[in-house]
Amino acid sequence: MTLINKVIINKQTAKKPIWIMRQAGRYLPEFREIRKRNKDFIKLCLNEKLSTEITLQPLKRFDLDAAIIFSDILMVPHGLNQKVEFKKGFGPILDEIRINEMSTLNEEKFTKKLSPIYKILSLVKSNSVTKNKNIIGFIGAPWTLLVYMINKQSPKLKLKNNFLNDIATNKKILSLLDKFLKIHIKNQIKHGANIIQIFDSWAGLLSEKELKDYVYDPTIKLVEYTKSLNVPVICFPRNIKNYKKFCEIVRPDVISIDYNIDPNLIVKDIKIPVQGGMNPEILLSDKETLKKEAKRYMDIFKDHPYIFNLGHGVLPETNPDMMNYLIKTVKDY
Ligand code: 1CP
């Protein structure tokens, strides 16, 4: 059994596994080298050879317990024929959403459009570097995808006014997302993913009373669907105010936490396995600070099933030596 499965299934607490969100990415010079020659990000995500190579890059360098496939949550809107582009220094730009056209799309066409992603999973799975390690497939949560599909750019830069006013349209999009996210989950599992992580990066934008319709209800359906396929599911409702309530309602196998929440509260309130938490900026400091902070998380979760990770993706300015030092610290704990 993999170390991560021992934590999730057997609730093992003695050894802490580690993987890092965005572990394949811009802080690695070998990634930047490929990226420089491949300006079109969507095309790169659909390039079987290069995306497999990028997925495996961090595993060749570091003693990580999982591979997460190099792809993006916005590949699903792309699969639904909403045009997605990534502009340097700006982030994603999405085209107008054409819901009627989307409604005519079937499973076969969607699967065909995203088939390189599934091939990448098979290639990652069959590579000896991932032997005895987990392979993490992922989706964006319906809410976070709805945000990008309607807002058409990162809400970090600008959020459209009256965002939630058109309830009928929002419902239609959520219903389409439910259908096609299930297909995307099923396809990833069929090709080798043995954990699914649901990224709800913008859960923190909603008020308590909006959470039911936009976060809890749509996420429960996907969590239950993934569990029905006998694969564990990790939820990351970033910056949600009440993680305890989220866990009680949504019931994921693992809860991934951000760095604004006090881990002491989490360990007290939450019984299921926990992942993540440390601020990625700590990797920009010095080794002593890094070791101290990593140990603080591991001390707090000493007697709790815990997967080491960060509270958000690793920052592009991170020195790979610091990443190596972090992984060693966790492994030697
Ligand atoms: O070179 C580049 O400019 C590409 C940067 C990049 C990378 C490395 C993007 C663009 N996506 C990715 C890969 C990616 N994205 C992965 C791969 C696996 C890994 O973790 O190593 C994953 C899981 C994602 C998930 C993702 N994409 C999320 C959820 C997690 C999070 O960061 O909150 C989100 C919100 C996106 C959208 C996205 N993709 C890329 C950008 C710049 C953005 C927008 C982020 C924003 O709105 O601020």
Side-chain angles (χ1 to χ4, degrees), residues 9 34 37 150 152 156 161 214 249 264 275 333:
I9 298 161
I34 292 178
R37 289 182 276 113
I150 295 182
K152 298 186 281 178
K156 201 160 62 185
N161 288 332
Y214 289 101
I249 295 174
N264 290 295
Q275 169 178 281
Y333 180 71

Side-chain angles (χ1 to χ4, degrees), residues 223-240:
V223 164
E224 285 181 354
Y225 179 73
T226 311
K227 286 182 176 176
S228 78
L229 301 176
N230 281 317
V231 167
V233 52
I234 306 175
C235 282
F236 181 35
R238 188 167 69 91
N239 288 346
I240 200 159

Side-chain angles (χ1 to χ4, degrees), residues 19-21 236 239 243 255-263 266 274-282 293-294 296-297 301 306-313:
W19 71 277
I20 301 292
M21 288 189 258
F236 181 35
N239 288 346
Y243 276 102
I255 185 79
S256 202
I257 58 171
D258 64 81
Y259 53 85
N260 294 311
I261 185 81
D262 179 357
I266 295 288
V274 173
Q275 169 178 281
M278 194 180 89
N279 192 332
E281 285 187 9
I282 301 288
E293 187 62 3
R296 187 173 76 88
Y297 273 89
F301 292 105
Y306 182 68
I307 301 166
F308 199 95
N309 204 319
L310 304 175
H312 202 188

Side-chain angles (χ1 to χ4, degrees), residues 19-26 31 35 41 68-74 86 91-92 138 144 148 154-156 199 201-202 236 238 312-313:
W19 71 277
I20 301 292
M21 288 189 258
R22 295 275 168 100
Q23 63 189 27
R26 285 176 294 181
F31 171 78
R35 185 76 171 101
F41 185 75
I68 176 157
I69 69 146
F70 181 75
S71 185
D72 199 86
I73 63 165
L74 298 178
F86 285 86
F138 65 87
T144 284
Y148 284 104
S154 176
K156 201 160 62 185
F199 287 94
S201 305
W202 299 107
F236 181 35
R238 188 167 69 91
H312 202 188

